[in-house]
Amino acid sequence: MTMKMRIRLAALPLFALLCGLFGAWAVGGSPWSVLGGFVGSTLIILASWQRAFANVQNALQSDAAVVLAHETTARHDAELAEALCAQKENAESGQSTGQPGAADSGQKKPKRLAFFARSLRSGAGLFVAPFRLATYVVLIIIFFALLRHNVFGVFSFLFGSFLALGALLTCLLIDNTTKD
């Protein structure tokens, strides 16, 4: 794909946004709601795409990389087990010397960390996407800001959201047809 085509593809969502803003202004809707819906939805779509792209890249790893990852995980598990045993022994020796809270405080934190690390490796981490969660927070802030300033229009907001989705899907379709 040429640089000229990439610039045109980058300009397509902006052109769609400008058309949407003009359309909302022409029919008496709220251009701010169109802008808020467009920006919030675009961020969510891009965050979701980024996470999906990372998942596909992880799935396409070579067999050697997968074996290396399993060996590294096994080594980290062994090191974690040794650290937990050492902390347990330290806690038991602290308990025998008469320190009552040493055993409880020493074991809870490593167990929680071990559970979190195990859940991330098992696939639960695929659903934890900080960037996507942050974009949902941005969308909620946009929504409440529009409500506070009395410029929120339901249909304008939804129009801006669907406008973002349509523009980005069109860019993907154009990009896929030009690669073939």
Side-chain angles (χ1 to χ4, degrees), residues 52-67:
F53 182 76
N55 290 343
V56 168
Q57 291 300 323
N58 288 337
L60 294 177
Q61 283 181 342
S62 67
D63 291 336
V66 171
V67 169

Side-chain angles (χ1 to χ4, degrees), residues 13 16-17 34 37-43 45 158-170:
L17 175 63
V34 172
F38 184 85
V39 169
S41 296
T42 302
L43 288 175
I45 290 167
L158 291 175
F159 179 68
S161 298
F162 289 122
L163 192 66
L165 180 64
L168 292 174
L169 284 177
T170 304

Side-chain angles (χ1 to χ4, degrees), residues 44-159:
I44 289 172
I45 290 167
L46 291 176
S48 299
W49 179 82
Q50 181 244 0
R51 190 64 183 174
F53 182 76
N55 290 343
V56 168
Q57 291 300 323
N58 288 337
L60 294 177
Q61 283 181 342
S62 67
D63 291 336
V66 171
V67 169
L68 180 65
H70 284 298
E71 290 172 359
T72 305
T73 301
R75 186 170 19 100
H76 286 303
D77 286 344
E79 290 172 1
L80 184 63
E82 289 174 8
L84 286 174
C85 287
Q87 278 195 336
K88 186 176 180 182
E89 290 172 5
N90 289 340
E92 287 174 359
S93 66
Q95 197 173 25
S96 64
T97 60
Q99 298 174 352
D104 293 337
S105 65
Q107 287 183 348
K108 285 185 180 181
K109 189 174 181 181
K111 283 185 180 179
R112 278 189 236 147
L113 289 175
F115 173 74
F116 183 69
R118 227 180 3 259
S119 67
L120 282 178
R121 283 193 305 270
S122 69
L126 296 177
F127 299 107
V128 178
F131 184 52
R132 187 173 17 180
L133 292 175
T135 58
Y136 282 117
V137 169
V138 168
L139 183 67
I140 291 169
I141 290 171
I142 289 171
F143 171 75
F144 283 120
L146 291 172
L147 276 180
R148 184 165 190 255
H149 294 289
N150 294 325
V151 292
F152 180 74
V154 175
F155 295 113
S156 298
F157 192 80
L158 291 175
F159 179 68

